[in-house]
Amino acid sequence: MKKMNFKFVTLLGIAFFMHSCVDDLDITPEDPLSQTLQEFYSQPGAHKRALAGVYGNLSLTGTDGAGSSNIGGIDAGTSQYGRVLWYMQDLATDEVIWSYENDPGTREIQRNIWNAANPIIRGMYGRAMFQVALANEYLRESTPAKLSSYGVTNPQDVAEIAVYRQEVRALRALAYYHLMDLFGKATFVTEADPLNTAGPEYNRQQLFDFIESELLAIIPDLKAPRTNESGRLDQAFARMILAKMYLNAEVYINQNKYTQCVDQCNAIIAGGYALNPNYLNNFKADNHLSPEMIFAIQSDGILTQNFGPTTVMINGSVGSIEQNGESLGVGAGGWGGALRLRKQFVQKFEGAQFTNDARNTIISGVRNIDITDIADRDSGFILSKFSNVSSTGIPGPNSTFVDTDFPLFRLADVYLMYAECAVRGAGNASIGTAVNYVNALRERANNGSQTANITQSALTLDFILDERARELHWEAHRRQDLIRFNRYTGGTYNWAWKGNGSNGISIPAHMRLYPIPEASLASNPNLTQNPGY
């Protein structure tokens, strides 16, 4: 079904040549090639194949199928980039519950009782640092001097590889952005450091400064929005990271940067993106065609099989009672009610204004809204937002591994970021424009009807937080949003099973950050643990 213009190699070309480059993690050179660097990079098109390897780390975990992992000591299911990001941003919040708590790490994440030994936390830190290592090695092997030594002298090839380098720097910035957001610190290494260097610890301010300077430097040399080949990033990708950083700057570095966020939002909006007329087409098997998709983590039932977030969400959305898998493009029973909704999220859609809202894909049936026993898969409502069926009704070719990409960044988020900045007092944002952006989302959700539109007086911070949940749920934003609105830690806002209480209890402030994994601390003496762990 999916025509992938930019095919991944299985981390070939870079990962094969690395030995133990990521702190505590042994990189397994799974590909049996016996090529040297000189032999590999001297081949025509080698640098593009290696570029695909850097992108591929967002989707793939190894070279021997979906169950393999090229990071030693970590299961593929707890080290796939998008999946562990989704666990840590959404499973740890009011949006969703995972039924099978014997799966390593999930119980602690969703009950907010994690510690530094949690395998999901280790998987996220390790996969992100592996991304940094892959990017650094690519940059070492693509300098002008290296290209010359590999016989790459054609001016067109040299110019293309120069663009590849900027994309790799942007992918490295994304990894450091996630490390900054989730952990508040990380080992810092660049291509200037020798391979296997135990880098220094960078705190949030240092990471923020590096990411910001990197992205501002490379934006002019990245391809213009919507002009790169499918699956590759462009200027809007870099601007999205900046916008998210500026939106959360008061959390990260105790500085107000809402005007800078608005500048980036305006630049993205001017890039030619448009809302998909059908909200749910953003979450179907051909969602790579959506005009509002800025960047997605790729998934393909044939070419890039992985236990990533969309495979998990779609199979997990099949109800234990409903057996609705065929409508979602997977097996009828799916994963038997693996995912259900917490009561507090369901309540975001209460009221007549949401009866016909396309974003409301909640299935209640004969279910009880309360989940008093997490193991009871028949309690708690379910969701059918994501599916492995195309916008034209064609199921994906694989009934387990889905074709649906995971939307990391899309235009709707930009509209809501702009609106939030306007309410928070950004002088370069118009409240009127903000209301128009919100209403554009609501009209799209209501098939063009204006019945659910809001007025300026309704555009409050509380409204925006709830509207972000309605528009962006299950897209790995919720934890970050709750922290920014001071609703995550403490007891101001509780949800089912928060803090391991069935009705939710307060959790301490230090849990706004995840702990640095024990294995990372043991391997790098420069790293220190976050307070409270």
Side-chain angles (χ1 to χ4, degrees), residues 338-350:
L339 295 172
R340 287 160 294 132
L341 299 170
R342 305 198 202 208
K343 176 180 180 178
Q344 289 71 24
F345 170 75
V346 173
Q347 291 172 333
K348 303 289 187 291
F349 281 101
E350 288 182 347

Side-chain angles (χ1 to χ4, degrees), residues 1-2 281 283-289 314 325-330 387-399 402-404:
M1 178 188 301
K2 181 173 297 184
N281 283 353
F283 317 104
K284 293 186 176 179
D286 56 353
N287 61 348
H288 63 294
L289 301 176
I314 295 170
E326 290 185 0
S327 67
L328 299 178
V330 293
S387 74
N388 188 33
V389 178
S390 76
S391 58
T392 57
I394 302 173
N398 191 302
S399 61
V402 304
D403 269 13
T404 312

